[in-house]
Amino acid sequence: MEEHEKEGFTREEAIDMAIKQMGDPLEVGRELNKVHKSKPEWSILALRSYCHSLFIFL
């Protein structure tokens, strides 16, 4: 954005241009999900299930 402003564009134009350079938000989001996909913590899930089963039978 700052580069566009230095080139003489208004702040609003610079913001619009910077946003367009970022790309399609849906595509970027899908790619980020692939990289940062969380893995389930199986030990915590097992402990939680065990605690729930104890409380159900008490």
Side-chain angles (χ1 to χ4, degrees):
M1 184 184 86
E2 292 172 358
E3 291 178 21
H4 294 302
E5 283 183 316
K6 289 178 185 175
E7 293 173 2
F9 293 100
T10 66
R11 185 163 185 82
E12 290 77 24
E13 291 172 329
I15 290 171
D16 288 340
M17 293 171 83
I19 290 172
K20 287 179 185 175
Q21 285 181 331
M22 289 182 202
D24 179 29
L26 295 176
E27 182 179 338
V28 172
R30 278 189 227 108
E31 293 299 318
L32 284 172
N33 281 340
K34 287 180 187 176
V35 174
H36 297 286
K37 192 171 187 177
S38 63
K39 298 177 184 170
E41 190 66 41
W42 293 109
S43 60
I44 293 176
L45 291 173
L47 180 62
R48 187 174 180 182
S49 296
Y50 176 73
C51 290
H52 280 266
S53 63
L54 279 177
F55 289 120
I56 288 173
F57 291 114
L58 290 179

